[in-house]
Amino acid sequence: MTAVIYAGGVFHLAFAVFHLGFWKLFKWDEQLPRLGVINRNVMQILNLCLTFVFFAFAWISFVHAEALLGTALGDALLGVIALFWILRAIE
């Protein structure tokens, strides 16, 4: 089961790197100036916050895999992570 946690860590790490590439990938230097100042800044801040969350999920998965599987707090955190991805898929 630990292998599944590590695979999730790799998945989160890949999403973090993907989000770091948004500026170039989506040409934000050209596209974001079309937005108002507040919307432009919110877009970038939300992206950075999501990137942080993905790096945090990856770190927790790699460093605390055993605790995730063997404790009530680990079960709760895995539930939160699963709910995050379910809601993101629905959106």
Side-chain angles (χ1 to χ4, degrees), residues 10 12 17 25 31 34 41 48 52 54-55 60 65 67 70 73 79-80 88-89:
V10 171
H12 290 118
V17 171
L25 197 81
Q31 298 296 325
R34 297 178 185 174
N41 292 334
L48 288 173
F52 171 78
F54 295 141
F55 276 125
I60 291 167
L73 180 59
V80 167
R88 187 168 165 123

Side-chain angles (χ1 to χ4, degrees), residues 25-78:
L25 197 81
F26 297 116
K27 299 178 182 165
W28 275 6
D29 57 332
E30 299 170 14
Q31 298 296 325
L32 290 182
R34 297 178 185 174
L35 298 174
V37 173
I38 293 174
N39 287 329
R40 178 174 53 241
N41 292 334
V42 166
M43 179 80 83
Q44 293 179 78
I45 289 169
L46 286 175
N47 183 58
L48 288 173
C49 287
L50 269 177
T51 302
F52 171 78
V53 165
F54 295 141
F55 276 125
F57 285 175
W59 176 73
I60 291 167
S61 297
F62 293 135
V63 177
H64 300 288
E66 294 298 326
L68 285 172
L69 293 171
T71 65
L73 180 59
D75 290 342
L77 187 53
L78 286 174

